[in-house]
Amino acid sequence: MRKKKREQPPEGFSRRDFLKGASMAVSTGILASPEAANAVPDHSAGVQGPGAVAISLQINGKLHRLKVEPRVTLLDALRNRLDLTGAKKVCDRGVCGACTVIMDGLPVYACNVLAIEAEGHRIETIEGLGAEGSLHPVMAAFVDHDAQQCGFCTPGFVVACKAFLDKHPSPSREDVERGLGGNLCRCGTYAGVREAVLAVATKGGRTNG
Ligand code: FES
Ligand code: FES
């Protein structure tokens, strides 16, 4: 397969701005953020499949070996093969952000990444961020600021907020609005989500410990 030259987003563009502009030009995108455009895996390794191929995925610091057909998305591999169901399958087409995971430090839509493309990359999911009794600062801020209702979009939002704060530890309110533009919430919890992110930012921002 021939490699395509990726467009780089202009400085300061939100995720949604960039996605709008790039959607016609990029056929196999994982562009959950402008920065994530740089993390698009190299497809030139050769033809795989159509049968299952053995891959290893590094998820939340643990190596998982599995066999998947090349058509299987990272989201389906996480949910159906590895029982990591925190990332939600909602639109399954890179629109809503409910499936957001972090790949090599950048937020990506797991429904837009093939599992075989994720091999060799460091994946973080909501399950790796915190647990009952030891909530991640972003999770705790979501509780404090009432940033969820039905909760279906919440794992994707928490992961996106974590990735955003790690890149932008001292954001303005406008930065937060634009930076989280790749995640949708049908319950309309945006105000609470923004307050949660700003609250973590005032306590030091970066959430990598
Ligand atoms: S389920 Fe992946 S972006 Fe909506
Ligand atoms: S809290 Fe219900 S979709 Fe966001």
Side-chain angles (χ1 to χ4, degrees):
M1 192 183 293
R2 251 189 322 164
K3 270 199 285 184
K4 287 180 185 165
K5 194 166 185 289
R6 298 282 176 186
E7 277 184 60
Q8 297 304 308
E11 193 80 16
F13 257 43
S14 71
R15 290 205 271 170
R16 194 144 304 278
D17 290 339
F18 180 66
L19 283 162
K20 273 187 201 159
S23 61
M24 295 303 286
V26 180
S27 59
T28 58
I30 59 165
L31 310 178
S33 76
E35 294 98 335
N38 299 321
V40 174
D42 184 348
H43 297 263
S44 63
V47 176
Q48 304 251 28
V53 295
I55 60 169
S56 307
L57 296 178
Q58 194 194 331
I59 302 165
N60 301 329
K62 215 170 131 189
L63 201 65
H64 297 264
R65 296 181 201 284
L66 62 161
K67 279 190 162 188
V68 291
E69 292 176 18
R71 66 184 175 87
V72 173
T73 64
L74 175 60
L75 180 61
D76 283 341
L78 290 171
R79 293 181 56 83
N80 302 336
R81 302 294 304 278
L82 301 175
D83 207 21
L84 294 169
T85 56
K88 297 289 180 272
K89 190 170 183 174
V90 178
C91 69
D92 202 23
R93 59 184 60 192
V95 173
C96 71
C99 64
T100 303
V101 300
I102 299 173
M103 189 156 95
D104 296 336
L106 300 174
V108 299
Y109 298 141
C111 68
N112 268 12
V113 181
L114 293 174
I116 58 170
E117 292 179 308
E119 188 168 33
H121 296 273
R122 191 168 39 87
I123 311 294
E124 294 169 74
T125 70
I126 188 76
E127 288 87 351
L129 297 193
E132 211 175 328
S134 59
L135 292 184
H136 185 277
V138 173
M139 295 173 171
F142 266 56
V143 175
D144 291 345
H145 294 274
D146 205 13
Q148 67 280 310
Q149 285 186 35
C150 78
F152 213 73
C153 70
T154 306
F157 253 115
V158 168
V159 171
C161 292
K162 192 251 187 225
F164 173 78
L165 281 165
D166 287 343
K167 287 273 173 203
H168 308 282
S170 305
S172 65
R173 186 174 290 274
E174 193 184 35
D175 293 337
V176 174
E177 284 175 22
R178 293 174 70 79
L180 297 177
N183 288 66
L184 303 178
C185 172
R186 282 191 168 192
C187 299
T189 60
Y190 300 107
V193 169
R194 288 169 195 153
E195 290 307 322
V197 172
L198 289 167
V200 177
T202 58
K203 290 182 189 162
R206 281 185 70 86
T207 64
N208 280 337

